[in-house]
């Protein structure tokens, strides 16, 4: 199974080679993998910023716990959840579904109403963590896609969300940064390359009932 080999190959890269860039062709493939990620009700209530501008990456460095991956990696993917979810967001996806699947909007409207009612049952805190969770599914697909393309990556939660929101002007766009991923090629001197993967044993991680 190739996926297992890819997952064994990848590791959270600590040192990227700043001289190696990921090609635009591969970046498009990575975007596609994110686009195809599943999401709750298919709503995709997030946006992903892909940053390759070095000046901007350097500006983000202090807000990223000074983790150099942010600057040295070729591209920085910033996953941003919607700050809130509105009826319009649901209508938009119902509309897109109607167009894509050549169905009548009116026929799909009851499903849209169902989604709205289920979301309305959530508290604001629940809505927020639900919106945030969607971005991690996309992150996972990005990491897997990188591994298949033999592109290195490092997911990062070690950053200051508020600073990111400010520097990237996210609040004005109704977005909030949730998690980021540095994407590029490992440096030969990354001392973590040889580290053995640490994972809990299967029988501890799973329980068959
Ligand atoms: C959501 C998330 C956030 C992470 N944040 C950081 C981070 O800020 N800095 C870092 O160096 N690694 C970070 N990591 C990498 C983990 O430490 C790493 O995935 C874990 O130790 C397993 O190692 P492996 O990915 O090399 O197999 C993060 C991983 C995930 C999934």
């Amino acid at each position: 199974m190739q996926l297992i080999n890819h997952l064994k190959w990848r590791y959270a890269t600590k040192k990227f080679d700043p001289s190696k860039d990921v090609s635009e062709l591969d970046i498009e493939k990575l975007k596609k993998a994110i686009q195809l990620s599943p999401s709750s009700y298919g709503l995709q209530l997030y946006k992903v910023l892909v940053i390759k501008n070095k000046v901007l990456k350097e500006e983000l460095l202090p807000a990223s716990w000074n983790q150099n991956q942010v600057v040295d990696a070729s591209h920085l993917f910033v996953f941003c959840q919607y700050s809130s979810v509105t009826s319009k967001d649901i209508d938009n996806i119902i509309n897109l579904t109607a167009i894509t699947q050549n169905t009548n909007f009116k026929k799909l409207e009851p499903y849209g109403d169902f989604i709205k009612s289920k979301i309305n049952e959530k508290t604001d805190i629940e809505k927020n963590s639900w919106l945030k969770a969607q971005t991690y599914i996309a992150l996972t697909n990005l990491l897997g896609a990188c591994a298949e393309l033999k592109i290195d990556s490092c997911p990062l939660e070690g950053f200051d969300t508020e600073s990111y929101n400010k520097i990237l002007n996210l609040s004005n766009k109704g977005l909030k940064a949730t998690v980021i991923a540095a994407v590029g090629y490992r440096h030969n001197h990354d001392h973590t390359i040889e580290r053995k993967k640490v994972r809990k044993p299967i029988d501890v991680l799973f329980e068959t009932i």
Side-chain angles (χ1 to χ4, degrees), residues 121-132:
E121 285 173 14
K122 295 182 195 293
T123 63
D124 283 349
I125 292 173
E126 285 167 343
K127 274 183 207 162
N128 193 61
S129 58
W130 172 71
L131 287 164
K132 186 174 180 179

Side-chain angles (χ1 to χ4, degrees), residues 7 10-14 65 67 69 136 139 143 154-159 179-180 197-199:
L7 295 178
R10 65 149 296 282
Y11 74 110
T13 305
K14 301 294 175 205
W65 300 3
Q67 300 190 78
Q69 295 104 311
Y136 281 71
L139 168 75
L143 303 181
C154 185
L156 297 124
E157 269 178 336
F159 67 97
V179 66
I180 61 179
K197 262 199 194 306
V198 181
R199 290 296 189 270

Side-chain angles (χ1 to χ4, degrees), residues 13-156:
T13 305
K14 301 294 175 205
K15 194 173 167 63
F16 285 86
D17 185 338
S19 70
K20 292 186 183 157
D21 286 339
V22 177
S23 72
E24 283 310 312
L25 191 68
D26 280 344
I27 291 293
E28 290 309 312
K29 289 178 191 167
L30 298 178
K31 285 183 186 170
K32 196 78 201 163
I34 291 172
Q35 184 201 22
L36 288 170
S37 298
S39 61
S40 191
Y41 304 111
L43 292 171
Q44 296 178 287
L45 299 173
Y46 54 82
K47 192 154 190 138
V48 186
L49 308 187
V50 184
I51 304 177
K52 65 174 189 175
N53 182 300
K54 192 147 196 288
V55 177
L56 185 53
K57 287 192 290 179
E58 263 158 13
E59 199 183 336
L60 290 168
L61 182 62
S64 315
W65 300 3
N66 285 313
Q67 300 190 78
N68 282 312
Q69 295 104 311
V70 166
V71 173
D72 292 339
S74 167
H75 290 71
L76 185 66
F77 284 66
V78 181
F79 291 84
C80 308
Q81 64 170 86
Y82 284 13
S83 308
S84 59
V85 49
T86 64
S87 279
K88 195 160 187 305
D89 294 320
I90 319 301
D91 290 341
N92 284 346
I93 204 73
I94 293 293
N95 208 20
L96 182 62
T97 306
I99 292 165
T100 309
Q101 298 182 344
N102 203 17
T103 319
N104 196 297
F105 181 88
K106 281 278 159 219
K107 216 175 131 196
L108 296 172
E109 219 173 10
Y111 182 54
D113 291 341
F114 170 75
I115 296 173
K116 286 174 196 173
S117 73
K118 292 319 274 179
I119 292 174
N120 276 338
E121 285 173 14
K122 295 182 195 293
T123 63
D124 283 349
I125 292 173
E126 285 167 343
K127 274 183 207 162
N128 193 61
S129 58
W130 172 71
L131 287 164
K132 186 174 180 179
Q134 310 305 317
T135 63
Y136 281 71
I137 301 168
L139 168 75
T140 306
N141 269 356
L142 171 66
L143 303 181
C146 282
E148 185 174 340
L149 292 169
K150 294 285 175 282
I151 294 170
D152 290 297
S153 63
C154 185
L156 297 124

